[in-house]
Amino acid sequence: MEETAAPQDGAGPQQTYERFLADGRFMIQRARRTGEYVFYPKVISPSGETDLEWVEASGGGTVYAITVARKREGAHNVALIDLDEGPRMMSTIAGLERLPIGARVRARVEAGEIARVVFDPEEK
């Protein structure tokens, strides 16, 4: 994982995360002292660490849960993904309605009006 410093312009964690996404980078935070990974962006880790740095996420993960929302416009899934680094995040599995619990997935940044992280099934 590649380390990088957060922008020094006073941007908060959410703004910094969104800037990384806009640049096509999926970054998460890590406490320097303990190595604890943090996601969703915060100023303090769940264990109270404040020495957070931004690091490139490995991109690997496992489907923890998934549901399908159906609307007139079509269906889309909402998935909880356990990142290989430890945190759990909410996202979507691109191009699929369903994927088995425990399936391996790989993150990518999807460009658009608002960049976001989506996951693709990992090829076996």
Side-chain angles (χ1 to χ4, degrees):
M1 285 184 205
E2 175 185 327
E3 295 183 22
T4 187
Q8 299 298 314
D9 62 2
Q14 179 63 31
Q15 291 169 313
T16 302
Y17 174 69
E18 289 173 2
R19 287 182 185 170
F20 283 128
L21 286 180
D23 290 339
R25 300 177 72 193
F26 177 28
M27 305 291 285
I28 60 176
Q29 294 170 294
R30 179 179 62 197
R32 286 182 178 98
R33 188 175 73 81
T34 63
E36 173 188 15
Y37 288 95
V38 178
F39 188 85
Y40 210 81
K42 304 174 185 331
V43 295
I44 187 168
S45 77
S47 66
E49 298 296 326
T50 58
D51 62 342
L52 302 178
E53 64 185 344
W54 289 95
V55 296
E56 190 103 32
S58 69
T62 304
V63 175
Y64 174 80
I66 191 167
T67 190
V68 177
R70 299 187 189 285
K71 298 181 178 180
R72 288 185 184 178
E73 304 84 38
H76 70 278
N77 66 58
V78 177
L80 292 176
I81 306 297
D82 285 338
L83 300 176
D84 287 349
E85 292 82 2
R88 183 173 291 153
M89 76 178 286
M90 185 181 298
S91 187
T92 189
I93 309 299
L96 295 176
E97 252 189 47
R98 298 179 186 272
L99 199 61
I101 303 302
R104 292 288 301 162
V105 290
R106 174 80 28 206
R108 67 180 162 86
V109 177
E110 185 176 80
E113 187 175 321
I114 299 175
R116 66 185 187 141
V117 175
V118 298
F119 288 85
D120 296 305
E122 246 184 27
E123 296 186 20
K124 296 179 182 181

